[in-house]
């Protein structure tokens, strides 16, 4: 027997879908504004932890992006995903410092300790996350390696394609498909139709400066000067937008694919085996056995 909570949730979903179907007929532009608000609203963030590195601030579009830095040596940058922060990747810091690297982690606009982005305190996107990386790299210098998680993988590949940064080695953990996949996801979730989708796509382009079809990870990865890459995916990750990792690695000359089991979307960042594999890869021990 269904609980009262599940029945209420079902009713709410039905009402929302009905409202978006009506808006699709009568006011698709309004429907698209609502889709954008829902889509780009950052969920309740991953809790911050006590800082262990040296805090830093850089300016981006008149706003402050905050982060931490540890160690000395060739820089390794850590890029979090949607609703996350630099602290999520903290388990990688000490091993990378011991390996002789300067580790730099930052919180994207409207995330963690950083200032709100141009669209307000609870709204951001992958383009802003990539542009903030540009500002951080300008402060600490060219990357030896960049490690990115979830939506951060899309942001980093965009930053590399646009020349905002370069790197010798790249680690992509739980990569996401990109904007076209999310458009289809929100269409299924909210129940809007073609008219609202067209307005939504125009709003995305106006917001980000990119057509939705250009913000997909397999397209961004198609470039002749790709760095050596390690792609990590947990088989039990059920987060929206993941599932592209195998195809991404297969189409990336020389890429290494590491598949884990039972870790999900976030615990993969703290798994000792994954951390060890990432550090070996960053240290250019590409021939090390990574498969599990």
């Amino acid at each position: 027997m269904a609980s009262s909570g599940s029945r209420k949730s079902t009713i709410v979903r039905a009402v929302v879908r009905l409202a978006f179907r009506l808006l699709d007929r009568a006011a698709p532009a309004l429907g698209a504004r609502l889709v954008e608000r829902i889509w780009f609203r950052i969920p309740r963030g991953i809790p911050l932890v006590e800082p262990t590195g040296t805090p830093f601030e850089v300016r981006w579009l008149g706003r402050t992006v905050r982060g931490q830095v540890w160690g000395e040596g060739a820089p390794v940058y850590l890029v979090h995903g949607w609703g996350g922060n630099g602290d999520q990747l903290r388990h990688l810091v000490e091993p990378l410092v011991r390996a002789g690297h300067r580790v730099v982690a930052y919180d994207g606009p409207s995330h963690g300790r950083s200032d709100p982005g141009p669209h307000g305190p609870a709204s951001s996107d992958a383009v802003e996350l990539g542009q903030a990386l540009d500002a951080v790299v300008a402060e600490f210098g060219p990357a030896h390696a960049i490690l990115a998680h979830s939506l951060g993988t899309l942001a980093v590949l965009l930053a590399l394609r646009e020349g905002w940064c370069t790197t010798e080695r790249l680690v992509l953990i739980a990569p996401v498909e990109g904007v076209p996949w999310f458009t289809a996801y929100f269409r299924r979730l909210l129940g809007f139709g073609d008219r609202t989708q067209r307005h939504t796509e125009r709003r995305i382009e106006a917001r980000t400066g990119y057509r939705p079809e250009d913000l997909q990870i397999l397209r961004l990865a198609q470039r002749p000067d790709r760095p050596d890459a390690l792609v990590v995916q947990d088989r039990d990750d059920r987060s929206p937008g993941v599932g592209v990792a195998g195809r991404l690695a297969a189409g990336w000359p020389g890429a290494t694919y590491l598949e884990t089991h039972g870790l999900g979307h976030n615990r993969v960042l703290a798994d000792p085996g994954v951390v060890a594999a990432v550090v070996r890869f960053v240290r250019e021990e590409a021939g090390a056995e990574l498969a599990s």
Side-chain angles (χ1 to χ4, degrees):
M1 185 175 183
S3 68
S4 60
S6 64
R7 286 197 301 270
K8 185 181 295 184
S9 178
T10 300
I11 291 170
V12 169
R13 284 197 299 269
V15 170
V16 168
R17 292 174 63 84
L18 174 60
F20 272 102
R21 285 198 296 271
L22 293 174
L23 286 170
D24 193 65
R25 298 173 187 172
L30 174 58
R33 286 199 295 272
L34 294 174
V35 172
E36 180 186 3
R37 184 177 301 178
I38 293 168
W39 182 335
F40 294 101
R41 183 173 180 82
I42 299 171
R44 180 174 297 177
I46 303 294
L48 295 166
V49 301
E50 189 69 24
T52 59
T54 301
F56 70 83
E57 296 183 351
V58 298
R59 298 294 286 172
W60 169 76
L61 294 183
R63 296 162 173 85
T64 300
V65 172
R66 297 180 174 87
Q68 300 177 68
V69 59
W70 302 259
E72 299 293 338
V76 174
Y77 294 91
L78 309 182
V79 184
H80 66 78
W82 188 241
N85 57 67
D87 294 348
Q88 270 185 286
L89 296 98
R90 64 188 180 277
H91 300 282
L92 291 157
V93 171
E94 185 178 345
L96 287 168
V97 169
R98 287 201 307 268
H101 290 285
R102 188 179 212 187
V103 181
V104 183
Y106 71 100
D107 299 340
S110 300
H111 288 77
R113 301 174 180 88
S114 289
D115 285 356
H119 300 279
S123 184
S124 190
D125 54 60
V127 176
E128 292 181 2
L129 189 58
Q131 292 171 340
L133 174 61
D134 178 24
V136 174
V137 171
E139 177 71 17
F140 292 101
H144 169 71
I146 301 176
L147 284 56
H149 176 239
S150 192
L151 190 72
T153 62
L154 186 67
V156 167
L157 286 179
L158 176 65
L160 291 172
R161 195 200 66 177
E162 294 291 5
W164 299 339
C165 61
T166 60
T167 187
E168 299 174 34
R169 302 182 79 72
L170 180 63
V171 179
L172 303 171
I173 303 174
V176 296
E177 297 261 4
V179 169
W181 188 97
F182 282 108
T183 302
Y185 168 78
F186 280 105
R187 180 166 178 162
R188 291 193 304 270
L189 181 69
L190 301 174
F192 57 82
D194 291 341
R195 298 178 70 200
T196 300
Q197 178 165 330
R198 287 193 292 271
H199 280 274
T200 299
E201 290 170 347
R202 286 196 288 269
R203 292 188 69 86
I204 291 171
E205 184 171 357
R207 175 190 177 110
T208 66
Y210 294 89
R211 297 178 303 170
E213 60 267 29
D214 291 330
L215 294 174
Q216 51 183 319
I217 203 162
L218 293 177
R219 176 173 290 191
L220 291 172
Q222 295 303 314
R223 43 178 293 163
D225 55 341
R226 285 176 279 197
D228 293 335
L230 169 63
V231 182
V232 182
Q233 179 64 61
D234 189 80
R235 181 182 292 181
D236 302 306
D237 188 343
R238 298 293 180 263
S239 296
V242 301
V244 72
R247 286 178 286 145
L248 179 63
W252 192 299
T256 301
Y257 181 55
L258 170 61
E259 184 177 83
T260 60
H261 310 278
L263 298 174
H265 193 63
N266 291 318
R267 284 186 294 129
V268 67
L269 297 172
D271 179 74
V274 172
V275 170
V278 168
V279 174
R280 287 198 301 270
F281 179 80
V282 170
R283 292 178 61 185
E284 303 186 18
E285 296 174 15
E289 180 61 47
L290 296 177
S292 66

